[in-house]
Amino acid sequence: MNYWLIKSEPSVYSYDDLLRDKKTFWDGVRNYAARNYLRAMKKGDQAFYYHSNEGMEIVGIATVVKEAYQDPTTEDHNWVVVDVKPVKKLKRPVTLQDIKNEKSLSEMELVKNSRLSVQKVTPVAWEKILKMSE
DNA sequence: GCCAACGTTGGC
DNA sequence: GCCAACGTTGGC
């Protein structure tokens, strides 16, 4: 199983929106690196749900329920989406600042390449952030 | 709202 | 195939 981090601006689609909808397809990825990650996602993989711009924090966990398929919002075959559903909201959101303050997480793509909208998270970082959310 | 960082595009 | 110009993202 792999771990990921997916970003969304809460004003566009927040974690609460996902909780309300129960499931969504993750669209809007128009970056090749992020696209490749989407394609690598397997059913059952888990992903941190990160709010960019507003909040700037990981607020919840989502899981992949359907692997990459053609993005229904475009004819362009370069782009794919995955279906995700919520797992649970974190007890305490983990902010970007928290992550930056944590030395062992300084290698995260979230810190190093803040613009990438889909990122891979190592199992070690995953556990660490879970702990920080308690 | 600004601007740094990054990715993409297109002229050569 | 290089690289300058441009557009977009996202932290501050």
Side-chain angles (χ1 to χ4, degrees), chain A residues 17-84:
Chain A
D17 291 330
L18 180 61
L19 286 174
R20 187 195 61 219
D21 293 347
K22 305 285 199 300
K23 183 178 124 172
T24 193
F25 56 87
W26 202 257
D27 69 330
V29 171
R30 296 291 182 272
N31 167 289
Y32 289 101
R35 193 275 313 272
N36 292 342
Y37 281 150
L38 281 186
R39 282 193 174 156
M41 287 185 185
K42 297 286 176 210
K43 206 171 166 178
D45 281 359
Q46 296 201 306
F48 283 133
Y49 198 108
Y50 177 81
H51 281 173
S52 61
N53 282 319
E54 292 167 52
M56 292 180 284
E57 58 194 8
I58 296 168
V59 291
I61 296 169
T63 187
V64 178
V65 290
K66 188 174 179 191
E67 295 173 16
Y69 60 98
Q70 171 66 36
D71 185 337
T73 65
T74 177
E75 291 291 302
D76 190 337
H77 289 276
N78 276 321
W79 307 118
V80 299
V81 298
V82 296
D83 285 354
V84 297

Side-chain angles (χ1 to χ4, degrees), chain A residues 62-115:
Chain A
T63 187
V64 178
V65 290
K66 188 174 179 191
E67 295 173 16
Y69 60 98
Q70 171 66 36
D71 185 337
T73 65
T74 177
E75 291 291 302
D76 190 337
H77 289 276
N78 276 321
W79 307 118
V80 299
V81 298
V82 296
D83 285 354
V84 297
K85 68 170 188 187
V87 175
K88 65 168 182 179
K89 208 167 180 167
L90 297 183
K91 243 177 266 171
R92 191 177 79 80
V94 177
T95 66
L96 181 62
Q97 199 55 54
D98 291 338
I99 289 167
K100 284 188 168 171
N101 288 343
E102 177 55 47
K103 240 192 193 156
S104 64
L105 298 177
S106 63
E107 291 299 310
M108 277 188 76
E109 282 172 319
L110 188 64
V111 178
K112 294 204 137 178
N113 182 6
S114 63
R115 296 190 46 201

